[in-house]
Amino acid sequence: MFRGAHALAVAVLLQAQGIQIPQPRGFVNDFAEVIPAESEERLLRIITDVRGKSGGDIAVVTLPRLDGRSVEEVGLQVLRQWGVGSP
């Protein structure tokens, strides 16, 4: 699903900075447990449809906290760690 070597390097860097980003469980990763099951199923259908038509990657992630970091910073780190959008 997501690429390995690059993700491992970023994971080590994030852990050194004290940020704990869990490994992906799939395309919808509700680590904060805020997405209702019906919504999660709908998101997965949309992601599967987009992926099938365009080959593009989409990852939905919720986290319980950002440890003082901006949404953009953490989002970029998640994308890099998981290899979302990597060839």
Side-chain angles (χ1 to χ4, degrees), residues 43-82:
L43 285 167
L44 187 54
R45 284 193 305 272
I46 292 167
I47 292 168
T48 302
D49 186 47
V50 168
R51 187 173 171 87
K53 291 178 180 175
S54 71
D57 283 339
I58 298 173
V60 176
V61 182
T62 66
L63 297 169
R65 63 183 191 285
L66 301 179
D67 293 334
R69 307 239 190 283
S70 71
V71 170
E72 295 82 8
E73 180 183 1
V74 173
L76 184 57
Q77 290 174 339
V78 168
L79 294 177
R80 287 179 177 158
Q81 179 178 332
W82 291 359

Side-chain angles (χ1 to χ4, degrees), residues 7-18:
L8 179 61
V10 174
V12 170
L13 177 63
L14 291 174
Q15 287 180 352
Q17 294 175 350

Side-chain angles (χ1 to χ4, degrees), residues 17-28:
Q17 294 175 350
I19 300 172
Q20 296 288 334
I21 305 290
Q23 290 300 309
R25 299 178 188 157
F27 294 109
V28 180

